[in-house]
Amino acid sequence: MRRALTEADLAALAGDVPVGAVVLGPDGTPLATGHNEREATGDPTAHAEVLALRRAATTLGRWRLTGCTLVVTLEPCTMCAGALVQSRVDRVVYGARDEKAGAAGSLWDLVRDRRLNHRPEVIQGVLEDECASLLTSFFRTP
Ligand SMILES: [Zn+2]
């Protein structure tokens, strides 16, 4: 999560909402990182999770990220939750809850929806206060 927080800082430096993500391989080594790049790239889908998943798939040479864990500072949105299910990651670890748009336990629980064919394990609240305060201070800055 510390690594994801460092990524989130990079997003903020570019004027993007500070969200960072890391994909860990089956043995726990970091495969790829990502941070929100919507403002930097003008791409509405450039969320930290999507970018990290794409890079991890490139690193592994396959789209199926079985055995991998995605760590992200903020609870994934519906798009990212969908991407996590599609990528077949084993585990999703997140810091701050997103009561307004979260899709991993807050507003929705897409990743654990029994109607879907893949349901990653979810671990929430890791370094929650740090992850949340990064966002709060970003939105407070004029
Ligand atoms: Zn997202």
Side-chain angles (χ1 to χ4, degrees):
M1 189 59 84
R2 293 264 169 232
R3 183 86 182 266
L5 279 163
T6 304
E7 280 292 313
D9 283 333
L10 294 175
L13 287 174
D16 269 293
V17 176
V19 179
V22 181
V23 176
L24 306 173
D27 61 353
T29 52
L31 290 177
T33 58
H35 56 267
N36 190 8
E37 292 184 17
R38 275 191 308 185
E39 298 296 336
T41 63
D43 176 357
T45 70
H47 285 193
E49 300 96 310
V50 168
L51 297 173
L53 289 173
R54 282 183 185 153
R55 289 169 188 152
T58 301
T59 301
L60 289 177
R62 55 183 164 90
W63 63 266
R64 208 183 281 269
L65 302 180
T66 308
C68 296
T69 298
L70 179 124
V71 181
V72 60
T73 56
L74 179 66
E75 182 179 355
C77 70
T78 48
M79 173 184 72
C80 293
L84 286 160
V85 171
Q86 292 299 325
S87 71
R88 310 285 195 267
V89 293
D90 277 16
R91 203 168 297 101
V92 180
V93 179
Y94 69 84
R97 282 168 66 89
D98 185 350
E99 301 292 348
K100 290 179 184 162
S106 292
L107 200 52
W108 292 281
D109 200 353
L110 198 92
V111 289
R112 287 176 289 195
D113 191 314
R114 292 187 176 279
R115 292 166 293 183
L116 296 173
N117 64 348
H118 179 76
R119 293 184 295 276
E121 178 191 0
V122 177
I123 297 165
Q124 62 186 73
V126 177
L127 298 180
E128 184 171 10
D129 293 344
E130 273 183 67
C131 293
S133 66
L134 198 61
L135 288 157
T136 310
S137 55
F138 177 81
F139 285 112
R140 209 176 274 155
T141 311

